[in-house]
Amino acid sequence: MFDFSDFYQLIAKNRLQNWLNVLPAQLTEWQNQPHGDLPKWMRVLKKIPMDAPSTIDLKDSVTIGTEDELPAGQRAKIENLLRAFHPWRKGPYNVHGINIDTEWRSDWKWDRVLPHISPLKGRYVLDVGCGNGYHMWRMLGEGAELTVGIDPSELFLVQFEAIRRMMGNDQRAHLLPLGIEKLPELKAFDTVFSMGVLYHRRSPLDHLIQLKNQLVKNGELVLETLVIDGDENAVLVPFSRYAQMHNVYFFPSAKALKVWLEKVGFVDVRIVDECVTTIDEQRTTDWMTHNSLPDYLDPNDPSKTVEGYPAPKRAILVARNPD
Ligand SMILES: Nc1ncnc2c1ncn2[C@@H]1O[C@H](C[S@+](CC[C@H]([NH3+])C(=O)[O-])CC(=O)[O-])[C@@H](O)[C@H]1O
């Protein structure tokens, strides 16, 4: 159903080649599972043109082509095709003047991350839980040699592939529909990002070890997750939902997270940013019409979630793998 052969050919010639010992079997298994709406989305995806646009900006935004490059009728057709992949959560994207106004201002997160990380020029980058790949394009904008994203969501895979087609089938970015737990110890990436994933993992220290196992010696981890206020021993484990999210487990303080990273062997651990998520950063839009953060906060006290927990606050930590 999905063709990963370009990626296999690419990594056969580079330092990710050991991955070929397990990856084709895993992705064949994935292909053979039932996939809900994916066949329908694939039919839409194939209608999206694969022509290289006249201009691409990945440095300051993700902007593909210009408005006047395409006849109005063709632009309207592309917009309809892209809307078939609702809800668009991560972005924004601008495609031939079509402004995909996503639930999240993922560019704001990128602006908080970028000043604190090693330059990405020439690097092999892994983005764990990459969503639809928004940050992968921004990583290429910073000169990364290759970005590989992994995310189990099928909708995010088709959204990513739609954008990639309109980039002229760019081969510098690849998204694989896998969870982090499926990765062997590749020890091959210069930078590994895990943003918005840790609180979804039942075993957060194992998650940190899995991330470490993907890094080359002296490679850099960029970790972003929901945190609470408090000292090295503070951690919240919500009883059930948090801000209406299922499958959430550990919300440490940034200081506790630093200890966890050191405990599993990272060094030079730095807490580089902490900020409360505003309702301007995560909200309902024309491209994501479901409920969003404003609906998940206590209407009488927006410093709390509807469940009575502290409202979402996120921290960014950067660390080095010495091994
Ligand atoms: N086991 C797993 N392995 C890999 N990915 C997973 C796993 N489980 C869930 N995910 C994926 O992790 C992503 C977390 S979203 C952050 C997106 C982006 N990074 C961002 O920073 O904007 C945050 C959120 O919406 O809660 C989703 O796309 C899941 O499918």
Side-chain angles (χ1 to χ4, degrees):
M1 191 198 307
F2 225 94
D3 185 6
F4 297 102
S5 54
D6 283 351
F7 186 67
Y8 299 154
Q9 279 175 28
L10 180 80
I11 67 171
K13 289 179 260 153
N14 72 25
R15 59 167 115 142
L16 295 174
Q17 59 186 238
N18 286 346
W19 204 353
L20 290 172
N21 296 335
V22 294
L23 188 61
Q26 288 175 336
L27 291 176
T28 302
E29 192 190 329
W30 177 86
Q31 303 265 27
N32 292 335
Q33 288 160 1
H35 285 293
D37 284 334
L38 187 60
K40 184 181 81 187
W41 292 329
M42 292 293 293
R43 286 194 291 277
V44 178
L45 186 64
K46 291 203 174 103
K47 294 185 187 159
I48 292 183
M50 226 195 276
D51 311 323
S54 60
T55 55
I56 296 178
D57 170 48
L58 300 177
K59 178 86 183 156
D60 300 311
S61 64
V62 180
T63 302
I64 305 170
T66 58
E67 185 167 350
D68 46 16
E69 194 172 358
L70 294 181
Q74 201 178 340
R75 270 188 37 238
K77 191 176 155 209
I78 291 177
E79 177 165 347
N80 276 337
L81 295 171
L82 293 172
R83 284 190 183 274
F85 303 142
H86 178 271
W88 282 81
R89 294 190 185 277
K90 311 294 175 180
Y93 297 91
N94 191 295
V95 182
H96 297 294
I98 304 160
N99 180 27
I100 304 180
D101 183 14
T102 49
E103 177 187 19
W104 281 90
R105 290 297 307 258
S106 309
D107 49 340
W108 294 3
K109 185 183 288 193
W110 188 243
D111 289 344
R112 290 193 294 270
V113 166
L114 190 59
H116 305 289
I117 64 175
S118 300
L120 293 177
K121 193 164 173 33
R123 289 196 160 214
Y124 277 44
V125 180
L126 175 68
D127 188 3
V128 174
C130 60
N132 66 22
Y134 176 82
H135 294 124
M136 293 163 63
W137 299 114
R138 301 299 302 272
M139 292 164 197
L140 289 180
E142 292 302 315
E145 168 95 10
L146 173 70
T147 62
V148 181
I150 57 168
D151 198 298
S153 155
E154 293 142 356
L155 180 61
F156 285 156
L157 176 65
V158 287
Q159 290 178 351
F160 169 80
E161 289 295 340
I163 297 293
R164 195 157 79 109
R165 283 174 82 93
M166 289 183 298
M167 297 263 186
N169 198 23
D170 197 320
Q171 290 298 308
R172 297 170 303 161
H174 292 264
L175 194 160
L176 307 172
L178 296 173
I180 174 72
E181 59 284 359
K182 290 276 167 57
L183 260 55
E185 295 182 19
L186 292 168
K187 298 186 187 304
F189 291 95
D190 303 298
T191 304
V192 170
F193 290 82
S194 166
M195 303 196 290
V197 180
L198 185 111
Y199 53 90
H200 288 305
R201 304 302 296 148
R202 260 190 315 200
S203 180
L205 266 64
D206 288 337
H207 180 62
L208 299 180
I209 293 167
Q210 282 158 348
L211 298 171
K212 188 168 180 287
N213 289 339
Q214 308 313 322
L215 282 164
V216 296
K217 184 177 171 67
N218 291 323
E220 188 165 86
L221 173 68
V222 183
L223 183 67
E224 192 259 11
T225 191
L226 287 166
V227 293
I228 56 165
D229 289 332
D231 66 12
E232 286 79 358
N233 294 308
V235 55
L236 167 72
V237 181
F239 181 70
S240 171
R241 294 190 187 198
Y242 172 89
Q244 292 296 290
M245 272 189 291
H246 294 288
N247 302 324
V248 290
Y249 301 95
F250 290 83
F251 296 61
S253 67
K255 284 183 184 156
L257 193 49
K258 182 169 185 280
V259 173
W260 295 2
L261 283 163
E262 288 163 351
K263 202 171 173 67
V264 301
F266 283 98
V267 297
D268 301 339
V269 183
R270 292 176 289 139
I271 300 167
V272 298
D273 188 79
E274 271 188 85
C275 80
V276 173
T277 307
T278 68
I279 54 170
D280 295 326
E281 183 162 350
Q282 186 191 7
R283 75 281 189 253
T284 301
T285 68
D286 186 36
W287 288 77
M288 201 302 288
T289 58
H290 304 316
N291 283 351
S292 187
L293 183 59
D295 309 292
Y296 306 148
L297 299 177
D298 181 338
N300 300 314
D301 178 2
S303 72
K304 290 198 163 55
T305 68
V306 286
E307 300 87 2
Y309 296 120
K313 181 178 193 182
R314 314 182 81 94
I316 301 166
L317 285 87
V318 180
R320 181 168 65 84
N321 171 30
D323 306 313

